[in-house]
């Protein structure tokens, strides 16, 4: 029941983690050693590995010296101060088409949303928005918002018994490596609270594999740590704790993970 980027079946419950390590060891070389360890030691059935990618984009309301025009003000009424757009299984180039020529590097352009698996996350309001029409309509009202952060995740995913594992590098909006993200899905259980112990145990296994990889690559001293996003608390805040795991769950956990990695 693992999937390709084009086809998605019902989800099992998930945990999202990131690898915390000293800044001097936060390099692509380290990431590649972790990704190799995951492929050789976690993919115990030697199943086919598929590409995984996602994108998290944050737009914040701009502070303007003068009030915007009346029509912009009316359009933007009721829009959150911070709006996260999460694109799951993002195609090459992410959720946006920035255009060609002189406009290609204009970060404040309103992007073209690919709504198939896009979710808006409003953290302060503890709300998510899904659906092609709803996402496009809400995002089109963010005319007073400007790009504040952008993170792209790229890696591989594979099926390992009852688990589906994803390991990917995270790049910031400057294109620099920002860390390693791990997602573990326990396929048999879809309600988040029903798989907590199993996912915690598997997380410990992943952490040990990464420690071994660090040691084998001569990274002595302070160990890295596999930090779990506090799923139960976050999903409860959004009213998702007793709902079968879906895109909204995944999106809010991705946002929490990316923002934790920035802190």
């Amino acid at each position: 029941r693992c999937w390709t980027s084009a086809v998605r079946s019902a989800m099992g419950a998930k945990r999202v983690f990131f690898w915390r390590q000293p800044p001097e060891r936060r390099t692509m070389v380290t990431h590649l050693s972790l990704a190799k360890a995951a492929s050789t030691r976690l993919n115990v059935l030697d199943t086919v590995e598929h590409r995984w990618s996602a994108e998290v984009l944050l737009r914040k309301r701009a502070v303007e010296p003068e009030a915007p025009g009346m029509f912009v003000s009316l359009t933007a009424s009721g829009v959150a101060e911070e709006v996260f757009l999460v694109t799951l299984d993002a195609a090459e180039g992410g959720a946006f088409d920035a255009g060609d020529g002189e406009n290609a590097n204009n970060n404040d352009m309103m992007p073209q949303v690919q709504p198939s698996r896009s979710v808006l996350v409003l953290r302060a309001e503890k709300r998510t928005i899904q659906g092609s029409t709803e996402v496009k309509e809400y995002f089109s009202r963010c005319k007073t918002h400007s790009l504040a952060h952008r993170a792209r995740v790229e890696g591989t995913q594979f099926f390992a018994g009852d688990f589906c594992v994803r390991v990917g590098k995270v790049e910031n909006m400057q294109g620099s490596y920002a860390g390693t993200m791990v997602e573990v899905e326990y396929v048999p259980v879809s309600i988040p609270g029903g798989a907590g112990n199993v996912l915690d145990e598997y997380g410990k296994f992943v952490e040990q594999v990464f420690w071994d990889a660090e040691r084998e690559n001569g990274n002595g001293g302070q160990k890295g740590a596999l930090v779990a996003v506090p799923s139960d608390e976050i999903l409860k805040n959004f009213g998702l704790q007793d709902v079968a795991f879906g895109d909204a769950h995944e999106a809010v956990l991705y946002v929490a993970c990316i923002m934790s990695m920035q802190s």
Side-chain angles (χ1 to χ4, degrees):
R1 285 177 55 185
C2 202
W3 60 91
T4 68
S5 61
V7 179
R8 179 70 225 214
S9 63
M11 294 186 193
K14 297 184 178 184
R15 276 280 194 278
V16 176
F17 308 83
F18 65 94
W19 187 245
R20 176 175 288 161
Q21 57 195 151
E24 65 273 11
R25 296 218 309 269
R26 197 178 302 137
T27 65
M28 270 301 299
V29 172
T30 301
H31 168 74
L32 291 173
S33 71
L34 298 178
K36 181 180 179 181
S39 180
T40 56
R41 301 178 194 179
L42 298 178
N43 189 359
V44 293
L45 300 178
D46 196 26
T47 56
V48 175
E49 298 187 3
H50 296 283
R51 179 174 172 268
W52 164 46
S53 60
E55 189 172 67
V56 175
L57 183 147
L58 167 62
R59 295 184 76 89
K60 288 186 177 182
R61 190 187 303 278
V63 178
E64 300 181 87
E66 297 179 1
M70 178 182 69
F71 294 107
V72 174
S73 297
L74 290 174
T75 303
S77 176
V79 175
E81 293 285 333
E82 292 186 343
V83 179
F84 289 87
L85 174 64
V86 182
T87 303
L88 305 171
D89 293 325
E92 186 65 33
F96 309 103
D97 177 7
D100 299 318
E102 63 181 5
N103 289 327
N105 294 319
N106 183 356
N107 286 334
D108 289 332
M109 288 181 62
M110 291 304 297
Q112 301 300 309
V113 179
Q114 297 176 354
S116 56
R117 293 196 65 214
S118 294
V119 181
L120 295 180
V121 177
L122 315 179
R123 285 201 303 177
E125 291 76 9
K126 298 180 175 58
R127 176 188 171 200
T128 61
I129 298 173
Q130 299 183 81
S132 172
T133 302
E134 292 83 355
V135 168
K136 292 175 70 175
E137 187 277 331
Y138 192 95
F139 208 73
S140 70
R141 293 162 55 202
C142 299
K143 308 225 180 257
T144 58
H145 291 57
S146 59
L147 185 64
H149 186 70
R150 187 176 192 168
R152 183 166 180 81
V153 187
E154 289 187 323
T156 57
Q157 56 187 354
F158 54 84
F159 186 58
D162 285 336
F163 298 92
C164 207
V165 182
R166 292 172 157 183
V167 179
K169 66 177 180 179
V170 180
E171 292 184 347
N172 59 28
M173 60 193 297
Q174 289 78 33
S176 301
Y177 172 69
T180 296
M181 181 171 161
V182 178
E183 179 182 278
V184 177
E185 174 178 1
Y186 184 56
V187 176
V189 177
S190 61
I191 299 300
N197 292 337
V198 174
L199 290 168
D200 288 341
E201 286 301 313
Y202 197 88
K204 293 176 183 177
F205 174 46
V206 176
E207 185 173 54
Q208 185 62 57
V209 166
F210 283 5
W211 281 343
D212 291 343
E214 284 193 330
R215 186 179 64 255
E216 291 166 9
N217 285 276
N219 294 328
Q222 183 181 351
K223 287 182 177 180
L226 192 67
V227 179
V229 172
S231 303
D232 293 344
E233 176 185 349
I234 293 169
L235 296 180
K236 183 177 180 180
N237 286 341
F238 280 82
L240 297 170
Q241 73 275 21
D242 297 321
V243 181
F245 209 99
D247 285 351
H249 300 70
E250 196 165 26
V252 299
L253 295 181
Y254 280 18
V255 167
C257 183
I258 294 299
M259 299 311 290
S260 295
M261 293 175 73
Q262 308 307 311
S263 61

